């Protein structure tokens, strides 16, 4: 049974898509149209009550949340060597990095587009959006100055964390953050973009 990834272009689902390509996984893609609020449709909510992407259908059930999907793919395809599965400490560092992207960086980004999750007052929502370049930029500082060991997140080995950072860092300009503040992250983004699996995933999502 192939895996099925529910995705929307331009979202964090790209990270899982890239990793599936890197692993050579047998999978199918199903596009969810945010423009028609398909993520709130009864059919999709029956699959993922959170009403968000990504969602990955496996033979065991449905998985959500990007860090969970990434480690599932890495563990399901160990031959791809997408995570240090034989080193508990190194694996925990990868998981900590991905958790930071999910719980801190992505949430700061969401304050610019989805302030209604935290406030009803239009002025409060506008203030959250105004502050995003500052608040989001601050979340990238620890990555630029230490968490990104280089040339990859974990040093010399490309892992699931690189696909995730690449995906999130693509939003810097749209969020009003000057990417020149983060030359190491920019170089990482360029390096990941050159990978054949990444090119394939981006082409599929653009089609």
């Amino acid at each position: 049974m192939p895996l099925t990834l529910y995705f929307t272009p331009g979202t964090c689902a790209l990270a899982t898509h890239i990793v599936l390509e890197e692993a050579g996984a047998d999978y199918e893609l199903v596009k969810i149209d945010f423009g028609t609020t398909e993520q709130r449709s009864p059919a999709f909510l029956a699959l993922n009550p959170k009403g968000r992407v990504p969602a990955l259908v496996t033979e065991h059930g449905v998985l959500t949340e990007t860090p969970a999907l990434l480690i599932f793919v890495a563990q399901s395809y160990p031959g791809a060597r997408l995570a240090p599965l034989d080193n508990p400490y190194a694996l925990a560092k990868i998981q900590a990095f991905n958790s930071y992207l999910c719980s801190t960086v992505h949430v700061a980004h969401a304050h610019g587009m989805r302030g209604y999750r935290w406030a009803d007052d239009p002025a409060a929502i506008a203030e959250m959006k105004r502050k995003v370049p500052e608040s989001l930029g601050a979340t990238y500082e620890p990555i630029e100055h230490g968490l990104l060991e280089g040339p990859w997140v974990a040093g010399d080995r490309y892992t699931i964390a690189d696909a995730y950072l690449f995906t999130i860092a693509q939003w810097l300009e749209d969020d009003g953050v000057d990417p020149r503040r983060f030359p190491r992250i920019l170089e990482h983004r360029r390096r990941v973009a050159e990978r054949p699996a990444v090119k394939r995933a981006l082409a599929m999502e653009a089609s």
Side-chain angles (χ1 to χ4, degrees), residues 14-49:
L14 175 63
T16 302
H17 190 180
I18 289 171
V19 168
L20 287 168
E21 279 293 315
E22 296 276 11
D26 181 14
Y27 73 97
E28 299 172 350
L29 286 174
V30 177
K31 181 178 177 180
I32 298 297
D33 186 354
F34 278 15
T36 61
T37 64
E38 187 178 2
Q39 73 273 25
R40 304 304 305 172
S41 68
F44 187 67
L45 289 174
L47 181 82
N48 179 13

Side-chain angles (χ1 to χ4, degrees), residues 74-152:
Q75 291 178 315
S76 297
Y77 296 89
R81 294 179 53 80
L82 292 170
L85 301 177
D86 57 348
N87 185 324
Y89 178 75
L91 182 60
K93 286 185 67 176
I94 293 293
Q95 293 291 72
F97 184 89
N98 286 348
S99 295
Y100 178 72
L101 293 183
C102 183
S103 66
T104 302
V105 182
H106 196 163
V107 171
H109 158 79
H111 277 73
M113 302 175 62
R114 299 182 177 87
Y116 57 82
R117 290 179 180 171
W118 296 278
D120 296 317
D121 181 357
I125 293 173
E127 177 60 12
M128 279 189 276
K129 185 173 183 177
R130 183 200 66 78
K131 194 174 175 61
V132 161
E134 176 188 344
S135 57
L136 178 62
T139 69
Y140 280 98
E141 292 288 347
I143 299 174
E144 176 73 15
H145 299 294
L147 296 180
L148 172 56
E149 296 183 13
W152 307 113

Side-chain angles (χ1 to χ4, degrees), residues 13-24 27 29 82 152 158-168 170 188-206:
L14 175 63
T16 302
H17 190 180
I18 289 171
V19 168
L20 287 168
E21 279 293 315
E22 296 276 11
Y27 73 97
L29 286 174
L82 292 170
W152 307 113
Y158 178 89
T159 69
I160 54 177
D162 295 292
Y164 200 4
L165 176 58
F166 170 80
T167 297
I168 298 285
Q170 290 208 106
H188 177 270
R189 194 171 69 173
R190 182 200 62 76
R191 189 181 302 110
V192 175
E194 294 175 350
R195 295 180 68 85
V198 177
K199 292 180 179 180
R200 292 194 300 270
L202 287 170
M204 282 185 273
E205 295 202 4

Side-chain angles (χ1 to χ4, degrees), residues 63-74:
L63 291 172
T64 63
E65 305 300 332
T66 296
L69 272 57
L70 295 178
I71 194 62
F72 172 81
V73 175

